[in-house]
Amino acid sequence: QVQLVESGGGSVQTGGTLRLSCAASEYPDNRYCMGWFRQHPGEEREAIARIYVNGTIIYSDSVKGRFTISQDSTKKTAYLQMDSLKPEDTAIYYCAADPIFATPWGPRCRSQFGYWGQGTTVTVSS
């Protein structure tokens, strides 16, 4: 069973920065596709950033230009650098991962993430 351990949440003022980390434990030989989601109170979880197996990165419009997702070379740890934070960024942030597997056409990941972190709270005050 893969465990995702998140860290880095906290409270900042508008315009501040935070960096979230997410480390996948267990099965040290696995590599993972990883992404970040967030959930505002009373709303559904939304995808905000994702790294695909070929290195392509996508962001939601709400964070594009302010947040940066990255992954270490082992593809076991993901980061979310959050700059120019706004009060509307206040949410619980979750990382997600799914193992990269080999196919005759190259490495692939499933479209759905199978593993999730416990969530870390980010609060941005005005």
Side-chain angles (χ1 to χ4, degrees):
Q1 182 73 15
V2 176
Q3 287 187 319
L4 301 181
V5 180
E6 300 173 14
S7 61
S11 298
V12 296
Q13 293 188 326
T14 298
T17 65
L18 283 173
R19 189 182 193 223
L20 306 182
S21 298
C22 173
S25 65
E26 310 258 358
Y27 304 109
D29 293 334
N30 277 357
R31 301 180 304 145
Y32 299 91
C33 289
M34 302 182 84
W36 288 95
F37 292 68
R38 70 184 181 186
Q39 188 169 20
H40 295 103
E43 297 182 10
E44 293 188 356
R45 193 175 299 182
E46 65 166 326
I48 58 173
R50 176 171 182 158
I51 297 179
Y52 286 86
V53 67
N54 64 359
T56 299
I57 293 175
I58 60 170
Y59 297 98
S60 67
D61 289 342
S62 60
V63 306
K64 193 178 299 181
R66 300 186 299 120
F67 290 10
T68 304
I69 187 173
S70 61
Q71 199 172 12
D72 72 346
S73 60
T74 66
K75 293 191 179 297
K76 294 181 179 65
T77 301
Y79 305 94
L80 186 68
Q81 177 68 37
M82 303 186 294
D83 299 322
S84 302
L85 282 162
K86 305 175 182 179
E88 51 264 44
D89 294 319
T90 296
I92 300 175
Y93 285 71
Y94 298 90
C95 71
D98 215 64
I100 296 172
F101 57 93
T103 75
W105 305 276
R108 294 287 187 270
C109 272
R110 298 185 304 174
S111 58
Q112 301 292 326
F113 290 106
Y115 301 99
W116 293 84
Q118 78 283 3
T120 185
T121 301
V122 171
T123 303
V124 185
S125 58
S126 56

